[in-house]
Amino acid sequence: MTASTPVSQPMDTTLQADTTLLGDVPPIVQYALQAGFKAPRHEVRVHHVQPLTDGVIEFAIIDPYIARHAQAGQFINLYSHDDMRLMPRPFGVAQVQGDVVSVIFAVVGEGTEEFSHMRQGDTIDVLGPLGKPYAIDMPAHYVLVGGGLGVPPLIRTAQLLRQQHAEHTSTDTASRSVTTAVLGYRNVHFADSMMQAYADQTLSIDDSQGNVIDVLQHDIAQHITVVTSDERGSGHMAVDEQGLPYVLLSCGPHGMMKAVAHWAAEHHMQCQLSLEQRMGCGYGTCVVCTVDTARGRLKVCNDGPVFTREELGWN
Amino acid sequence: MTASTPVSQPMDTTLQADTTLLGDVPPIVQYALQAGFKAPRHEVRVHHVQPLTDGVIEFAIIDPYIARHAQAGQFINLYSHDDMRLMPRPFGVAQVQGDVVSVIFAVVGEGTEEFSHMRQGDTIDVLGPLGKPYAIDMPAHYVLVGGGLGVPPLIRTAQLLRQQHAEHTSTDTASRSVTTAVLGYRNVHFADSMMQAYADQTLSIDDSQGNVIDVLQHDIAQHITVVTSDERGSGHMAVDEQGLPYVLLSCGPHGMMKAVAHWAAEHHMQCQLSLEQRMGCGYGTCVVCTVDTARGRLKVCNDGPVFTREELGWN
Amino acid sequence: MINVYEPHEWKHGTVVAGVPWKNPVGTASGTFQLAAVRDYYDVSQMGAISTKGVSPIPWEGNPSPRCAESPAANVNAVGLQNPGVDHYLVDDLPKLKAMGATVITNVAGHSDDDYAQVVTKLASHASDMLEINVSCPNVSHGGMSVGTDPVALYKLIAHLRTLTDKPMIVKLSPNVTDIVSVAKAAVDGGADALSMINTLVGMRFDTRTGKPIIANRTGGVSGPALLPIALGFVWRVRQALPDIPIIGIGGVDSGLKALEFLYAGANAVEVGSAALFDPIAPLRIARELDDLLDTRPQLANLLAEGKTWK
Amino acid sequence: MINVYEPHEWKHGTVVAGVPWKNPVGTASGTFQLAAVRDYYDVSQMGAISTKGVSPIPWEGNPSPRCAESPAANVNAVGLQNPGVDHYLVDDLPKLKAMGATVITNVAGHSDDDYAQVVTKLASHASDMLEINVSCPNVSHGGMSVGTDPVALYKLIAHLRTLTDKPMIVKLSPNVTDIVSVAKAAVDGGADALSMINTLVGMRFDTRTGKPIIANRTGGVSGPALLPIALGFVWRVRQALPDIPIIGIGGVDSGLKALEFLYAGANAVEVGSAALFDPIAPLRIARELDDLLDTRPQLANLLAEGKTWK
Ligand SMILES: Cc1cc2nc3c(=O)[nH]c(=O)nc-3n(C[C@H](O)[C@H](O)[C@H](O)COP(=O)(O)OP(=O)(O)OC[C@H]3O[C@@H](n4cnc5c(N)ncnc54)[C@H](O)[C@@H]3O)c2cc1C
Ligand SMILES: Cc1cc2nc3c(=O)[nH]c(=O)nc-3n(C[C@H](O)[C@H](O)[C@H](O)COP(=O)(O)OP(=O)(O)OC[C@H]3O[C@@H](n4cnc5c(N)ncnc54)[C@H](O)[C@@H]3O)c2cc1C
Ligand SMILES: Cc1cc2nc3c(=O)[nH]c(=O)nc-3n(C[C@H](O)[C@H](O)[C@H](O)COP(=O)(O)O)c2cc1C
Ligand SMILES: Cc1cc2nc3c(=O)[nH]c(=O)nc-3n(C[C@H](O)[C@H](O)[C@H](O)COP(=O)(O)O)c2cc1C
Ligand code: FES
Ligand code: FES
């Protein structure tokens, strides 16, 4: 039996336009884009690997495809060279500069150990960008609350907010968003300088000084005005001194995020939280990475990693 | 319960003397030698990787320990970097130059494919030298009959015979051995030049011209005199024109070696043959690599790979 | 490198239990979610698509974490989370058929009645084949226990046989002493084909806490580590049952490994874990096999006729 | 890097079924030949040495080739080649004892009578423990078949119990539906300890010829690929039998993996395939574990008393 069917197009029509990268990416990515599909797992080169502090590494790859597509809070899978370690290692995209995409990770196990020893020019397999991003379209005062290795995806978020800012500035000053970063560390404030490049204000604290709730309480709470949001009929809404609604975006340890969600609820702020879960695939095919939500057991990798406070029922 | 026993010494007392290498080898080898043991699996650097002909690679490592110990016809295990491929890849030692040990292999599967892409300075794990060597102590006219990838260990054998020669030359010309190499190839005569550096005479042939038996028949047979070997009482013995007894050493495809053994029997030559078998460990612990002999099922890896014609019952 | 996106004229199709497959490579159940995979390649190009196990009502599966890594393997305990057969019949199934895919609906149950309900509902729908999963190690009732007991299995399959005319594949568990008696029970009960293997029971521990990594504690081991074990099962069943179509599953991550299953006696293969590590792996494997079969005309001829061989 | 050659004061010994081990790491049967290994390290430093299976008369094993590679695994079909118990009693056993090793004699048989002969001969010799191998997949009679049938196993072990006072370990097969019932049969029959797992049945094919690589066709799968499966078996038996000493086997190639077995409920481990790929692996693993236990005093205390834990 011989069958022949022309390659059909995927449903997601937003993918179809992007054939501009054809020259710069590996052939397999070119072919995928030409056919109107997302890039599959592909091999790229390491741009640099640099320790930021003890056991925390900035790891950068050259990947024009991911560079162009990585939205706020999205992540990428890195894969080991050793087939003993087949599973994906997901990391939030921390920054994009030209074609260079960086992540920041802690060395915690075999995979991150291996990656930490890589050097410029080495090859590595990657898949992404993956996951549902933070919603940052609405003009707002975004409060980015990150803890430890939850900070990196918020840097990328601040970077994108700054880009929106730049694009809007000439035409529509009224709808400019503002970004305040609130970062908590165990000790060394390893990501402050990166965040400062994009956020309007960067506040940070480490375990010897207190935690992010202390910062929110001390430096944000006093600027909040609670207004009645008629439009949505949802009751109260926190706005800043310019009248911009506050939106809290968070990523960090589970306990911290629960406290942050609680604080946001108390202060009538919208709140989006980015979760972690052990993953089998990272792109939505294995149903391994679930979290219990108000809408049932959802997949962290592509129903999330970003969920609203309401979805998680964290009140 | 706490127990303490001092590290005991191994039985093989020949190992104990060799502590002269301590400075040049990896720490684990140093420790082993100091304690009087054989070197375990250890990591070394690749010296060079060079194609000799289509799909045939000369692969050289820097390993003073193996360089010093590799006897005629012994082999080493190379190990893949990919833990999907855990098993040893055994290769006959082809040449030793200073601290550089080379093997010559055909790219036939995943492991040899991987090794063929390695480059100077890369690391690789190795164990050896392994196996029972050819017996080449007796002054004799050694006829080294190799076929294809069976040639490499005979190069090392010729190299050692040449060394013996050099050592004996000043004192005892009567007992100098002579070496004639008879090599068969599929097409390109890739090892002739290496063999010529050590053998007194190198004859070779490829499939388009004939086979090694043709060479033996045409170039060796006429020089044989069969004498009665009273000493041994074993009847007839082939000697050359100088009266040196002929000893045939062979390595190559199974069929070729059987024919060679048969030819040797017919011509009253002693004959030692080096076998191949799939191996689990290569050093004698798993009993995976057996061959049926007159003495029962023996291990190719450390009862061999070299067996006499009589042991194999190849008459 | 094969360009899996370029239109391809399949050279070596096959027929499994009467159903034509474009090529002998399907996706394995539980490792294919249409909504996720369709963005990566044209899924209709696969030999067949085996869906996630479908149960009579929505199942929420096991708590997280649900997986752990292991050498050349992963261990998972999803526990058959799925939105239920009714949802499946209005969502994935019609979408897959509209795309031109050959569909194997994987059927899950906690009891004989569960299986019967799903099979009954599917009988009148467009699914090309059914795959009765009696081998999931991650559910507490039904699942694997039916698949390890020849008597119970015979009874179940014989009952399901009365409920459907669709080609029925029974998916076997490797967690058994005697696969041949289980396979025979399935065939005697009316199975049109067998697929094997499902995952082996296994687990990993966190060496910091000393506790199992997976919330369910044990899970199912899949991936390349299974390969020799799965080949052994397929070969033994093929020796005992020369005629039943067999779909080989376990550790297939290349065309060469798919080929090994054909030599072991399988008529086709399904690709599971490999798809977790690269979305396009199943199609790449199908294309690799299509080329490998060019140089094995005898095998390709048998395949084309949907025959088995030894 | 640990220097395994330097004299070492073991910090965390244990007691298995009353027999003191210097540390909880032994060699696994069939992967240790004294004549080969003694040149690489001081074998008396191991927790215990489990010898190659010993049969009543010399066995010649299976034809070659006897092994194939597989992802993170090897497949072997040695078929218990060994020079027989009489040779063992005058060669390996006295040599090992003279070196100060704790010796586990692995006992092989084709029939109940074979096992009984070997056990009887060993009863009066210096072997510290016996390990009854009822789980070898590579012999046509006896071997695995006894180990997969609880009734036959009970009968065999109960009989052997009458022939010896030595601590008797029964080595279990993973090729079973219900390991717990097999384990219970062994314990009821009089086993003092269990070791698990032996190899899983598996095979590989040569994709050039289409034929099995191993002459015996099927073989036993061992190596890292087994790890999660072996951990699962140990854990399940430990849940069911809280008190029987268990020796965990399967894929141990580091101190951390040995530790996982202890967390799963094992009292000790044996190292098999890892020794095939580096002669000194068993001793390295023992040393790694000795250090890891320093930071786990609770576990180390239980070990020291030869207790089990959950
Ligand atoms: C969406 C997402 C984004 C993430 N972003 C970051 C980041 O920006 N920076 C960072 O340092 N870490 C991040 N993590 C955690 C990171 O994925 C793990 O630390 C990493 O996978 C550990 O790999 P390993 O090989 O070193 O550990 P091992 O323990 O050897 O890994 C074994 C397996 O467990 C998984 N695993 C282990 N720890 C975690 C974990 N905490 N979360 C999920 N899977 C885990 C691994 O992915 C792998 O499959 C993120 C996780 C998720 C799910
Ligand atoms: C004592 C000895 C000396 C050898 N010397 C040489 C030599 O000097 N040059 C050379 O080219 N080859 C030599 N060989 C053969 C060489 O070991 C194999 O070609 C090589 O292991 C194939 O590895 P691979 O990963 O490419 O093949 P794969 O097929 O991927 O290997 C899979 C497994 O099968 C084993 N295997 C495959 N073919 C053979 C074989 N022919 N013999 C033994 N094991 C095999 C591998 O070692 C490995 O364990 C020798 C073999 C032995 C036993
Ligand atoms: C995450 C995951 C989920 C699975 N879910 C199912 C399932 O719902 N039904 C089923 O029959 N098999 C299921 N399986 C088993 C696979 O279909 C397949 O039999 C097994 O993984 C072995 O193949 P592999 O080695 O290619 O992964 C699942 C496997 C994985 C890894
Ligand atoms: C080459 C080889 C030979 C073996 N021979 C025996 C044997 O004689 N008796 C036995 O009980 N187990 C035997 N085994 C099984 C091992 O002892 C062990 O149970 C198995 O290999 C799993 O452990 P591993 O993953 O550490 O190798 C053998 C294993 C191998 C690899
Ligand atoms: S990790 Fe596979 S679905 Fe989320
Ligand atoms: S290969 Fe292990 S004994 Fe020869």
Side-chain angles (χ1 to χ4, degrees):
Chain A
M1 196 213 64
T2 298
S4 161
T5 323
V7 173
S8 76
Q9 299 297 315
M11 297 278 145
D12 181 350
T13 49
T14 62
L15 289 167
Q16 308 218 16
D18 189 31
T19 47
T20 52
L21 279 170
L22 296 181
D24 303 321
V25 293
I28 192 74
V29 176
Q30 291 182 30
Y31 301 148
L33 297 182
Q34 276 166 330
F37 291 99
K38 285 187 188 170
R41 173 169 165 165
H42 57 280
E43 189 181 73
V44 297
R45 295 265 166 204
V46 172
H47 183 267
H48 68 267
V49 181
Q50 191 185 317
L52 298 182
T53 171
D54 228 30
V56 177
I57 309 280
E58 181 181 59
F59 186 96
I61 58 174
I62 304 170
D63 194 324
Y65 175 81
I66 293 176
R68 181 164 305 198
H69 290 84
Q71 299 173 60
Q74 282 193 305
F75 66 94
I76 60 177
N77 284 347
L78 297 181
Y79 300 92
S80 167
H81 278 283
D82 190 335
D83 289 341
M84 291 282 240
R85 292 189 283 277
L86 293 168
M87 298 188 74
R89 269 64 183 170
F91 301 102
V93 172
Q95 254 187 114
V96 172
Q97 279 161 326
D99 289 344
V100 177
V101 176
S102 59
V103 299
I104 296 171
F105 60 74
V107 177
V108 297
E110 293 180 354
T112 46
E113 175 76 28
E114 175 188 341
F115 302 150
S116 74
H117 296 298
M118 297 181 88
R119 284 182 302 183
Q120 182 168 18
D122 286 351
T123 60
I124 186 162
D125 275 14
V126 62
L127 178 71
L130 300 165
K132 206 189 76 182
Y134 288 115
I136 55 168
D137 290 340
M138 179 179 87
H141 188 145
Y142 289 97
V143 183
L144 277 42
V145 187
L149 275 305
V151 174
L154 295 174
I155 303 174
R156 174 65 182 153
T157 305
Q159 187 181 30
L160 287 165
L161 285 165
R162 170 58 55 103
Q163 269 172 20
Q164 287 181 8
H165 195 116
E167 286 156 14
H168 282 213
T169 235
S170 47
T171 55
D172 177 15
T173 46
S175 67
R176 274 162 48 180
S177 289
V178 173
T179 309
T180 300
V182 176
L183 310 180
Y185 299 99
R186 196 171 304 160
N187 35 57
V188 180
H189 297 216
F190 61 82
D192 278 8
S193 62
M194 280 175 254
M195 186 57 100
Q196 279 155 3
Y198 308 115
D200 295 301
Q201 189 185 10
T202 302
L203 308 166
S204 73
I205 194 163
D206 62 57
D207 286 356
S208 71
Q209 305 164 320
N211 62 36
V212 291
I213 300 291
D214 298 332
V215 179
L216 291 173
Q217 204 56 37
H218 189 268
D219 295 300
I220 308 292
Q222 81 239 40
H223 301 292
I224 296 176
T225 310
V226 176
V227 299
T228 310
S229 139
D230 283 338
E231 216 180 275
R232 309 194 156 205
S234 68
H236 303 296
M237 180 171 84
V239 300
D240 72 0
E241 282 138 354
Q242 277 77 46
L244 277 174
Y246 274 110
V247 175
L248 199 152
L249 311 178
S250 185
C251 186
H254 204 77
M256 180 204 91
M257 284 198 291
K258 280 209 150 173
V260 165
H262 184 67
W263 188 90
E266 272 181 0
H267 292 82
H268 307 285
M269 281 189 187
Q270 274 193 47
C271 179
Q272 303 172 31
L273 305 123
S274 179
L275 304 187
E276 273 190 17
Q277 188 53 276
R278 284 192 176 249
M279 293 189 172
C281 68
Y283 70 94
T285 212
C286 73
V287 203
V288 145
C289 59
T290 54
V291 58
D292 288 328
T293 74
R295 298 192 283 128
R297 277 203 174 145
L298 296 182
K299 293 179 280 187
V300 168
C301 75
N302 77 344
D303 297 318
V306 173
F307 295 92
T308 63
R309 184 170 58 71
E310 291 77 15
E311 285 176 308
L312 296 175
W314 287 1
N315 295 312
Chain B
M1 196 213 67
T2 299
S4 162
T5 324
V7 174
S8 77
Q9 300 296 317
M11 297 277 146
D12 182 348
T13 49
T14 62
L15 290 167
Q16 307 219 18
D18 189 32
T19 45
T20 52
L21 278 170
L22 296 181
D24 302 322
V25 292
I28 191 74
V29 177
Q30 290 182 30
Y31 300 148
L33 298 182
Q34 275 166 332
F37 292 100
K38 284 188 188 170
R41 173 169 166 166
H42 57 280
E43 190 181 71
V44 298
R45 296 265 166 203
V46 173
H47 183 267
H48 68 268
V49 181
Q50 191 185 317
L52 296 181
T53 172
D54 228 30
V56 177
I57 309 280
E58 181 181 58
F59 186 95
I61 57 173
I62 305 169
D63 193 323
Y65 174 82
I66 293 176
R68 180 166 304 197
H69 290 86
Q71 298 173 62
Q74 282 193 306
F75 65 95
I76 60 176
N77 284 347
L78 297 182
Y79 300 91
S80 166
H81 279 281
D82 190 334
D83 289 341
M84 291 283 239
R85 293 190 282 277
L86 292 169
M87 299 189 73
R89 270 63 184 170
F91 301 102
V93 172
Q95 253 186 116
V96 172
Q97 278 160 328
D99 289 345
V100 177
V101 177
S102 60
V103 299
I104 297 171
F105 60 75
V107 177
V108 297
E110 294 181 353
T112 47
E113 175 77 30
E114 175 187 341
F115 302 149
S116 74
H117 296 297
M118 297 181 89
R119 283 182 303 185
Q120 182 168 17
D122 286 349
T123 60
I124 187 163
D125 274 15
V126 62
L127 178 72
L130 299 164
K132 204 188 75 182
Y134 289 115
I136 55 168
D137 289 340
M138 179 178 89
H141 188 145
Y142 289 97
V143 183
L144 278 41
V145 187
L149 275 304
V151 173
L154 294 174
I155 303 174
R156 173 65 182 154
T157 305
Q159 186 181 31
L160 286 164
L161 285 165
R162 169 59 51 105
Q163 265 170 256
Q164 288 181 7
H165 194 116
E167 285 156 14
H168 284 212
T169 235
S170 48
T171 54
D172 176 16
T173 46
S175 66
R176 276 163 45 178
S177 289
V178 174
T179 310
T180 300
V182 176
L183 310 181
Y185 301 97
R186 196 170 304 162
N187 36 55
V188 181
H189 297 219
F190 62 81
D192 277 10
S193 62
M194 280 175 256
M195 186 58 99
Q196 279 155 3
Y198 307 115
D200 295 300
Q201 189 186 11
T202 302
L203 307 165
S204 73
I205 195 164
D206 61 59
D207 286 357
S208 71
Q209 305 164 321
N211 61 37
V212 291
I213 300 291
D214 297 333
V215 180
L216 291 172
Q217 205 56 37
H218 190 266
D219 295 299
I220 307 292
Q222 82 238 39
H223 301 291
I224 295 176
T225 311
V226 176
V227 297
T228 310
S229 140
D230 281 341
E231 215 181 277
R232 308 195 156 207
S234 67
H236 304 297
M237 179 170 85
V239 299
D240 72 0
E241 284 139 351
Q242 277 76 45
L244 276 173
Y246 275 110
V247 175
L248 200 152
L249 311 179
S250 186
C251 185
H254 204 78
M256 179 204 92
M257 284 198 291
K258 280 210 149 172
V260 165
H262 184 67
W263 188 90
E266 272 181 359
H267 292 82
H268 307 286
M269 281 189 188
Q270 275 192 44
C271 179
Q272 304 172 30
L273 305 121
S274 179
L275 303 187
E276 273 189 19
Q277 189 52 275
R278 283 191 178 250
M279 293 188 172
C281 68
Y283 71 94
T285 210
C286 73
V287 202
V288 145
C289 60
T290 53
V291 58
D292 288 327
T293 74
R295 297 193 284 129
R297 280 204 172 141
L298 296 182
K299 293 179 280 185
V300 168
C301 75
N302 76 346
D303 297 319
V306 173
F307 296 91
T308 63
R309 184 169 60 70
E310 292 76 14
E311 284 174 309
L312 296 175
W314 288 0
N315 296 311
Chain C
M1 196 206 49
I2 287 175
N3 175 1
V4 300
Y5 303 98
E6 136 200 283
H8 179 70
E9 190 86 39
W10 294 101
K11 297 168 284 184
H12 306 290
T14 190
V15 180
V16 180
V19 178
W21 290 30
K22 300 180 186 74
N23 57 66
V25 182
T27 61
S29 178
T31 62
F32 179 91
Q33 291 276 331
L34 178 60
V37 177
R38 66 186 316 158
D39 289 344
Y40 288 97
Y41 67 93
D42 176 5
V43 303
S44 75
Q45 290 301 298
M46 293 304 301
I49 299 292
S50 177
T51 66
K52 178 77 202 168
V54 174
S55 52
I57 54 166
W59 283 0
E60 64 167 10
N62 291 318
S64 286
R66 290 177 167 185
C67 77
E69 188 170 55
S70 204
N74 52 321
V75 191
N76 88 79
V78 171
L80 292 168
Q81 177 175 346
N82 82 95
V85 63
D86 294 334
H87 185 269
Y88 172 75
L89 289 175
V90 297
D91 188 15
D92 279 17
L93 180 58
K95 283 182 185 161
L96 279 165
K97 288 310 302 175
M99 295 170 88
T102 301
V103 180
I104 305 174
T105 304
N106 186 271
V107 179
H110 286 154
S111 64
D112 282 16
D113 191 48
D114 280 356
Y115 290 107
Q117 280 185 47
V118 178
V119 168
T120 305
K121 287 209 173 156
L122 288 165
S124 56
H125 285 79
S127 178
D128 298 286
M129 310 181 86
L130 308 184
E131 182 175 48
I132 315 298
N133 174 8
V134 291
S135 44
C136 179
N138 299 324
V139 293
S140 38
H141 308 289
M144 197 172 86
S145 54
V146 188
T148 58
D149 174 354
V151 178
L153 181 62
Y154 171 82
K155 194 172 136 269
L156 171 65
I157 300 304
H159 178 51
L160 298 182
R161 183 72 289 170
T162 65
L163 304 175
T164 187
D165 295 330
K166 290 199 186 291
M168 196 162 62
I169 306 161
V170 175
K171 185 162 180 183
L172 301 183
S173 170
N175 302 287
V176 296
T177 308
D178 179 8
I179 189 80
V180 168
S181 65
V182 180
K184 281 187 172 151
V187 173
D188 291 347
D192 301 296
L194 302 171
S195 62
M196 65 192 74
I197 56 176
N198 210 314
T199 53
L200 273 155
V201 178
M203 73 195 302
R204 292 298 303 272
F205 289 80
D206 183 328
T207 49
R208 278 166 295 223
T209 64
K211 302 275 170 259
I213 290 177
I214 296 177
N216 190 51
R217 292 174 302 186
T218 62
V221 180
S222 64
L226 288 195
L227 178 72
I229 302 163
L231 288 167
F233 278 108
V234 168
W235 184 81
R236 280 176 287 166
V237 172
R238 174 55 71 220
Q239 301 303 304
L241 301 171
D243 297 317
I244 189 83
I246 297 176
I247 303 170
I249 318 175
V252 176
D253 62 5
S254 71
L256 274 174
K257 288 179 183 162
L259 190 62
E260 271 192 76
F261 273 100
L262 300 184
Y263 283 129
N267 301 54
V269 301
E270 290 175 10
V271 175
S273 303
L276 270 49
F277 312 132
D278 183 3
I280 65 169
L283 187 55
R284 174 180 53 76
I285 294 164
R287 288 288 305 275
E288 287 171 2
L289 181 64
D290 209 42
D291 290 348
L292 285 166
L293 286 167
D294 288 348
T295 53
R296 288 152 174 98
Q298 210 192 337
L299 184 55
N301 284 340
L302 284 164
L303 261 179
E305 296 167 33
K307 281 198 194 145
T308 61
W309 48 85
K310 287 194 286 189
Chain D
M1 194 206 50
I2 287 175
N3 175 2
V4 301
Y5 303 98
E6 134 200 284
H8 179 69
E9 190 86 37
W10 295 100
K11 297 168 283 183
H12 307 290
T14 190
V15 180
V16 180
V19 177
W21 290 31
K22 299 180 186 74
N23 57 65
V25 182
T27 62
S29 177
T31 61
F32 180 92
Q33 291 275 332
L34 178 61
V37 177
R38 67 185 316 158
D39 288 345
Y40 288 97
Y41 67 93
D42 176 5
V43 305
S44 75
Q45 290 300 297
M46 293 306 300
I49 299 292
S50 177
T51 66
K52 178 79 201 166
V54 174
S55 52
I57 55 166
W59 284 1
E60 64 167 10
N62 292 318
S64 287
R66 291 177 168 183
C67 76
E69 189 170 54
S70 205
N74 53 320
V75 191
N76 88 79
V78 170
L80 291 170
Q81 176 175 347
N82 81 95
V85 63
D86 294 333
H87 184 270
Y88 172 75
L89 289 175
V90 297
D91 189 15
D92 279 17
L93 180 59
K95 283 183 185 160
L96 279 165
K97 289 310 301 175
M99 296 171 88
T102 300
V103 179
I104 305 174
T105 305
N106 186 271
V107 179
H110 286 155
S111 64
D112 283 15
D113 191 48
D114 279 356
Y115 290 106
Q117 281 185 47
V118 178
V119 169
T120 305
K121 287 209 173 157
L122 288 165
S124 55
H125 285 79
S127 179
D128 299 284
M129 310 180 85
L130 309 184
E131 182 175 47
I132 313 300
N133 174 9
V134 291
S135 47
C136 179
N138 299 325
V139 293
S140 39
H141 308 288
M144 196 172 86
S145 54
V146 189
T148 59
D149 175 354
V151 178
L153 182 62
Y154 172 83
K155 193 170 138 274
L156 172 64
I157 301 304
H159 178 51
L160 299 182
R161 183 71 289 169
T162 65
L163 304 175
T164 187
D165 295 329
K166 289 200 187 288
M168 194 163 63
I169 305 161
V170 175
K171 183 161 180 181
L172 301 183
S173 170
N175 302 288
V176 296
T177 309
D178 179 8
I179 189 81
V180 168
S181 65
V182 181
K184 281 188 172 151
V187 173
D188 290 348
D192 301 295
L194 302 171
S195 61
M196 64 190 75
I197 56 177
N198 210 314
T199 54
L200 272 155
V201 177
M203 72 194 303
R204 291 298 303 271
F205 289 81
D206 183 327
T207 50
R208 278 166 294 225
T209 64
K211 301 276 171 259
I213 290 177
I214 296 177
N216 190 50
R217 292 175 302 185
T218 62
V221 180
S222 63
L226 288 196
L227 177 72
I229 302 163
L231 288 167
F233 277 108
V234 169
W235 184 81
R236 281 176 286 165
V237 172
R238 173 56 72 221
Q239 300 303 304
L241 301 170
D243 297 318
I244 189 84
I246 297 176
I247 302 169
I249 317 175
V252 176
D253 61 6
S254 70
L256 274 174
K257 288 179 183 161
L259 189 61
E260 273 193 73
F261 273 99
L262 301 185
Y263 283 129
N267 302 52
V269 300
E270 289 175 11
V271 175
S273 303
L276 270 49
F277 311 133
D278 183 2
I280 64 169
L283 188 54
R284 174 181 51 76
I285 293 165
R287 288 289 304 273
E288 287 172 0
L289 182 64
D290 210 41
D291 290 348
L292 285 166
L293 286 167
D294 288 348
T295 54
R296 289 153 173 96
Q298 211 192 333
L299 184 54
N301 283 341
L302 283 164
L303 262 179
E305 296 167 34
K307 280 200 193 143
T308 62
W309 47 85
K310 284 197 285 188

